[in-house]
Amino acid sequence: MNTPDVQGVADQAQVVGRYKVIPLIQEGAGESFNTAVAESDVQESLGLPGTLVDDWHDKAIARLGQLLKERRGLRVFMDTCTKCGACTDKCHYFLGTHDPNNMPVARQDLIRSVYRRYFTWAGRWFPWLVGARKLDKNLLQQWYTYFHQCSECRRCTVFCPKGIDTSEVTMAGREVLASVGLGQQYSQEIITKVKSVGNNLGMKPRALADVLENLEEDILDETGIPVRLPLDEEGADMLVVTPSADFFAEPHVDGLIGYAKVLHQAGIHWTFSSEASEAANFGLFTGQHDHMREIALRIRHAAMGLGVNRIVIGECGHAWRVAYSFLDSLVGPMQFLSKEHPRAEHICEVTHQLLQQGIIQLDPTRNEGVIVTYHDSCNVARGSGMGNVANGQLTIPRELLKASVPGFVEMSKDTVGQTTFCCGGGGGLLTDDLMDIRIKGSLPRAQALQAVVNSDQVTHLVAICAICKTQLSSVLPHHNLVDVRVTSLHHLVGDALVLT
Amino acid sequence: MFDTLLGVSFTLLALWAVLGTLYRIVTWVRTPSPLPIPLTPAPRTRLGVVGRLCLEIFLFRALARANTVTWVASILFHYGLLFILIMHMRFFFAYLPGWLIPFVVWSGWAVAAAVVGLCILLLRRIIVDRVRYISSPSDYLHLVLLLCIVLSGYALKRHWPVNTSTVGEFLRGALSFQWQPLPDGAVLVIHLVFVLLLFFVFPISKLLHGVGIVFTPTLNQRENVSVSVATKKGEHSS
Ligand code: SF4
Ligand code: SF4
């Protein structure tokens, strides 16, 4: 993750009000917010054309046709939308920008209109009747703009009576764009880094080892207890794969220290891996399944190399979706893992289990004065599960928090749980050049947060996603929410932990 | 001559609607679903999936969460139409069976429900700026077509009653390739032509959405089912 330069962005402070006010549409309102197109060397290193190819029109249509044959979701979604309008006021980017193209159905229509024109009988012969359009430069530009104003959060899917998943359409759109030379610099560059070095930051193993060593010293100074942060230890029982932001960014790193304390207290022999020093998988964001597979394979490879019995994923939203829902499909079943832990586990479920078994103790009085509210990350809430219990992804983090702090408050019901609002920075949008859209997209979350700050004096906003944490800590000040601390769940767990 | 033309068109378009729908289903099913993308929390059992789909198909659960006005209008219209459709089964029996009598007696209410529902949906499409923005001519025309069918049918029932047994013979004839004459009446012909138009657009338009839901991966896939198991059963191929 990068650390956005908050000062460098014009002050976009918005009046924080009630998100339930549905805005009138304002055509073109989000048009000017664009993210940089990938440099040619980045594109080429991924085997994609460096600049917009001459026959982009034919290539794009051909690629779209191919995706329609390869992805059932996309195909069904193209056919079943009735334009009922139920989703039109459910996207945070629409609520924040008022741009009608940010209404989920309108975003899908950017592709659906082309699908109808080139792949359906009615659209070919009666384009004016069914809203079919030729793909021209103008529309291609709109694809680029509005498929990068979608965080692939799937909130719209919850409200769509046909279960249409706009994120699948966005991914297809980005995939086609990249295949004709219009990848996004931010995501594509990260994919090249994770492929060549092992993590999104391009942090070399030596540097990583130094960071971990320093952190061990910090913990020792603070607690007097030699808590370890091992790297590449063969024979360890557990491999922890975490988003690389956890190694240095605030407030992520305090969460990392929390994992280490919990695992230390439980006496688990665990390790990080320098080969798989990144849980994030931007192949999900760009819709490129081959990249997603390649990135996921590193985890399998590292786990086999180290001979571990368990794989645990740190606090990262989309990484958890990939690990929970896709890992088997991407890299095959991991028979080398132990029978008790046959699939990747989330650090929260590990901690939760240790707590339930009485192996660790949490003392909420150690977090005196802390009143938290919990932001469900979209990929956790709507894209995965946790702990083999129904709704575990919603209940387990809350139970951990309630055991760790004296005060816990929920935000308004339709902004949490399955209907949670995205932080506004997911899906490959966490880049400085999209700062305006990130601020606007975080409006509903900020409004819901403001309400509990007013009513219950909430002091901390907790998330279990590296993107959410970076995004929220950089945008909340723009909504005049300066006193709320964005915090890692395992930071509070680590502080409450009875460490011996 | 004209009767035979209508009869043959009915046969052909009914076939077109059924085969067209099957063709779409085959296209959907034959497209692989490389990654499981259920919207979670999702059911973990097949029975759970059936339950989820039933809630969506019969109660429009997601719509109920999203927008009350649209939900009420959709329920009125869909159930009104379903009621009317069941009433039409009378044409397939030589004598009116007892269980169909309530459907025939109360069909006026069903018409009212369907018309009110359709009008709200149409008005919403025209008035709400967000919905207007996403609407193409065909979206309005689908609603207008359904209104025309329901209203012309109601006119037949109330003002230009036709001999139901002759209509029955015509319909049964058209579906068994033994075409029979239709009773005289312009309104009946108009009603029938609207229905034929519906048959025509059904498999090539969004009207297929009811069938499509069943094949929607976000709703029909289970959570946390290891793919090694699923692939064996042909659920996700990668
Ligand atoms: S809710 Fe679903 S069906 Fe309705 S307009 Fe949105 S995408 Fe289309
Ligand atoms: S997936 Fe999320 S960001 Fe994208 S259109 Fe739907 S609600 Fe908006």
Side-chain angles (χ1 to χ4, degrees):
Chain A
M1 312 301 123
N2 57 355
T3 27
D5 169 13
V6 178
Q7 266 68 45
V9 177
D11 191 29
Q12 289 278 330
Q14 302 197 15
V15 181
V16 175
R18 277 168 55 78
Y19 79 90
K20 281 198 171 150
V21 179
I22 302 167
L24 288 176
I25 61 174
Q26 237 176 297
E27 283 185 44
E31 210 171 59
S32 57
F33 308 125
N34 275 297
T35 180
V37 174
E39 314 262 329
S40 49
D41 54 330
V42 170
Q43 278 274 102
E44 275 156 16
S45 75
L46 295 171
L48 295 162
T51 49
L52 185 62
V53 294
D54 291 333
D55 52 348
W56 59 269
H57 173 271
D58 299 351
K59 281 251 163 63
I61 299 297
R63 187 78 193 107
L64 180 61
Q66 206 176 337
L67 290 177
L68 284 164
K69 286 209 183 81
E70 286 169 3
R71 300 186 189 173
R72 185 187 302 167
L74 182 65
R75 181 76 213 221
V76 176
F77 301 151
M78 286 297 109
D79 288 333
T80 52
C81 174
T82 54
K83 313 290 176 85
C84 72
C87 61
T88 52
D89 55 349
K90 303 297 184 269
C91 175
H92 47 288
Y93 294 113
F94 171 69
L95 294 174
T97 62
H98 310 184
D99 189 316
N101 277 326
N102 279 329
M103 301 189 295
V105 45
R107 200 187 308 286
Q108 300 156 21
D109 277 350
L110 295 173
I111 285 195
R112 189 178 286 112
S113 56
V114 172
Y115 163 73
R116 288 190 171 162
R117 176 67 183 75
Y118 295 85
F119 300 96
T120 71
W121 179 87
R124 203 166 307 148
W125 295 99
F126 306 100
W128 49 272
L129 187 63
V130 298
R133 275 187 285 183
K134 270 214 154 96
L135 180 61
D136 56 17
K137 265 265 166 72
N138 199 1
L139 186 53
L140 195 75
Q141 175 58 46
Q142 287 195 328
W143 280 21
Y144 192 81
T145 305
Y146 296 106
F147 290 136
H148 291 102
Q149 293 187 14
C150 170
S151 54
E152 303 174 346
C153 77
R154 315 210 297 161
R155 185 172 195 265
C156 44
T157 313
V158 177
F159 296 97
C160 173
K162 289 90 200 172
I164 295 176
D165 183 345
T166 314
S167 80
E168 290 291 311
V169 181
T170 294
M171 288 170 197
R174 292 186 187 175
E175 225 279 356
V176 173
L177 284 165
S179 76
V180 296
L182 296 177
Q184 182 209 20
Q185 171 70 8
Y186 172 65
S187 299
Q188 300 289 57
E189 190 186 12
I190 282 181
I191 292 176
T192 51
K193 270 195 224 153
V194 75
K195 291 218 282 192
S196 58
V197 193
N199 55 58
N200 290 1
L201 301 162
M203 196 186 223
K204 299 255 160 56
R206 186 67 236 139
L208 183 56
D210 287 345
V211 166
L212 294 176
E213 222 166 274
N214 287 337
L215 287 174
E216 283 178 349
E217 279 167 26
D218 291 349
I219 304 175
L220 186 65
D221 289 348
E222 183 207 316
T223 63
I225 292 165
V227 172
R228 295 200 52 226
L229 288 159
L231 182 65
D232 294 330
E233 275 192 11
E234 275 179 41
D237 188 45
M238 176 193 286
L239 167 66
V240 177
V241 186
T242 204
S244 55
D246 280 5
F247 296 124
F248 80 103
E250 280 292 343
H252 311 59
V253 67
D254 300 310
L256 182 93
I257 293 173
Y259 318 151
K261 286 181 179 170
V262 167
L263 297 174
H264 167 90
Q265 188 62 24
I268 292 173
H269 186 191
W270 66 283
T271 184
F272 287 124
S273 148
S274 53
E275 182 190 358
S277 48
E278 178 66 72
N281 191 330
F282 275 43
L284 174 67
F285 297 160
T286 59
Q288 295 154 324
H289 285 186
D290 46 339
H291 292 157
M292 206 192 321
R293 176 172 292 118
E294 228 177 292
I295 296 170
L297 267 171
R298 292 167 320 129
I299 298 181
R300 182 194 173 95
H301 195 249
M304 287 180 84
L306 293 164
V308 295
N309 299 315
R310 306 170 71 173
I311 296 177
V312 170
I313 307 292
E315 297 184 7
C316 180
H318 77 283
W320 179 237
R321 181 176 183 206
V322 173
Y324 182 87
S325 296
F326 301 161
L327 211 52
D328 281 3
S329 320
L330 289 172
V331 305
M334 295 188 283
Q335 270 119 357
F336 56 90
L337 295 180
S338 76
K339 293 233 161 20
E340 296 76 46
H341 309 281
R343 57 167 186 83
E345 298 160 274
H346 194 282
I347 185 72
C348 284
E349 67 186 287
V350 173
T351 305
H352 186 251
Q353 208 176 29
L354 293 170
L355 182 66
Q356 283 195 320
Q357 293 168 340
I359 297 173
I360 58 166
Q361 267 86 41
L362 297 176
D363 175 8
T365 59
R366 297 181 181 213
N367 279 316
E368 210 196 318
V370 173
I371 303 173
V372 305
T373 191
Y374 179 66
H375 164 81
D376 287 281
S377 301
C378 55
N379 277 301
V380 176
R382 291 187 281 266
S384 46
M386 204 184 277
N388 276 327
V389 287
N391 299 331
Q393 74 271 39
L394 309 178
T395 57
I396 289 175
R398 285 177 169 76
E399 282 170 27
L400 284 178
L401 276 176
K402 286 176 187 162
S404 305
V405 296
F408 179 85
V409 182
E410 286 284 7
M411 287 178 277
S412 144
K413 221 172 97 233
D414 40 2
T415 71
V416 294
Q418 196 193 28
T419 48
T420 188
F421 270 109
C422 166
C423 63
L429 270 55
L430 194 72
T431 155
D432 287 351
D433 53 15
L434 285 176
M435 198 53 177
D436 288 328
I437 217 69
R438 287 168 50 193
I439 293 169
K440 289 178 189 293
S442 59
L443 182 70
R445 171 49 73 231
Q447 289 168 330
L449 176 62
Q450 180 74 66
V452 288
V453 169
N454 294 347
S455 62
D456 295 88
Q457 290 78 47
V458 162
T459 57
H460 289 64
L461 174 66
V462 172
I464 54 168
C465 167
I467 291 177
C468 292
K469 293 175 206 170
T470 305
Q471 155 76 355
L472 289 169
S473 29
S474 50
V475 297
L476 288 183
H478 292 272
H479 297 289
N480 297 326
L481 277 157
V482 278
D483 295 328
V484 185
R485 277 189 63 187
V486 178
T487 310
S488 299
L489 187 144
H490 271 82
H491 176 191
L492 295 172
V493 168
D495 283 355
L497 184 72
V498 181
L499 198 62
T500 51
Chain B
M1 176 61 205
F2 184 61
D3 282 359
T4 322
L5 184 68
L6 273 179
V8 173
S9 316
F10 192 95
T11 313
L12 290 179
L13 286 166
L15 269 176
W16 157 265
V18 172
L19 294 180
T21 306
L22 284 178
Y23 174 76
R24 282 281 194 115
I25 293 176
V26 170
T27 338
W28 291 332
V29 174
R30 287 184 53 185
T31 310
S33 186
L35 294 174
I37 54 168
L39 182 73
T40 66
R44 281 150 201 265
T45 59
R46 282 169 200 283
L47 199 66
V49 168
V50 173
R52 179 183 210 171
L53 288 174
C54 285
L55 276 176
E56 294 299 347
I57 292 173
F58 296 113
L59 292 181
F60 313 163
R61 181 177 57 165
L63 191 55
R65 292 173 87 173
N67 191 304
T68 316
V69 174
T70 316
W71 182 77
V72 171
S74 302
I75 287 278
L76 283 176
F77 144 58
H78 280 93
Y79 278 97
L81 208 62
L82 180 65
F83 199 96
I84 298 171
L85 268 180
I86 295 176
M87 185 272 281
H88 277 73
M89 305 247 316
R90 67 181 297 174
F91 296 114
F92 295 92
F93 297 99
Y95 299 97
L96 191 63
W99 62 270
L100 259 177
I101 292 172
F103 287 92
V104 176
V105 175
W106 292 327
S107 63
W109 290 103
V111 167
V115 169
V116 168
L118 284 166
C119 286
I120 297 176
L121 291 179
L122 193 58
L123 279 178
R124 175 174 152 80
R125 212 171 265 299
I126 296 166
I127 293 170
V128 179
D129 65 336
R130 285 170 286 124
V131 190
R132 192 168 60 234
Y133 182 86
I134 56 169
S135 300
S136 315
S138 61
D139 296 314
Y140 299 97
L141 290 176
H142 284 136
L143 292 172
V144 172
L145 176 61
L146 287 165
L147 267 174
C148 290
I149 292 176
V150 175
L151 290 175
S152 59
Y154 186 68
L156 273 181
K157 186 181 163 70
R158 287 302 296 262
H159 302 294
W160 291 277
V162 285
N163 182 336
T164 48
S165 63
T166 329
V167 175
E169 275 162 29
F170 170 83
L171 287 176
R172 277 170 300 186
L175 295 181
S176 56
F177 308 102
Q178 289 158 344
W179 296 279
Q180 302 292 327
L182 192 66
D184 285 337
V187 182
L188 181 60
V189 172
I190 290 173
H191 182 61
L192 199 62
V193 168
F194 283 139
V195 172
L196 293 184
L197 202 55
L198 184 73
F199 282 1
F200 175 66
V201 295
F202 187 82
I204 54 169
S205 70
K206 65 175 187 179
L207 297 179
L208 264 188
H209 61 275
V211 188
I213 292 185
V214 180
F215 302 95
T216 296
T218 49
L219 299 177
N220 77 6
Q221 291 179 334
R222 286 168 295 158
E223 176 182 332
N224 192 20
V225 174
S226 128
V227 161
S228 49
V229 179
T231 340
K232 254 187 262 149
K233 304 199 170 118
E235 202 168 279
H236 321 290
S237 49
S238 45

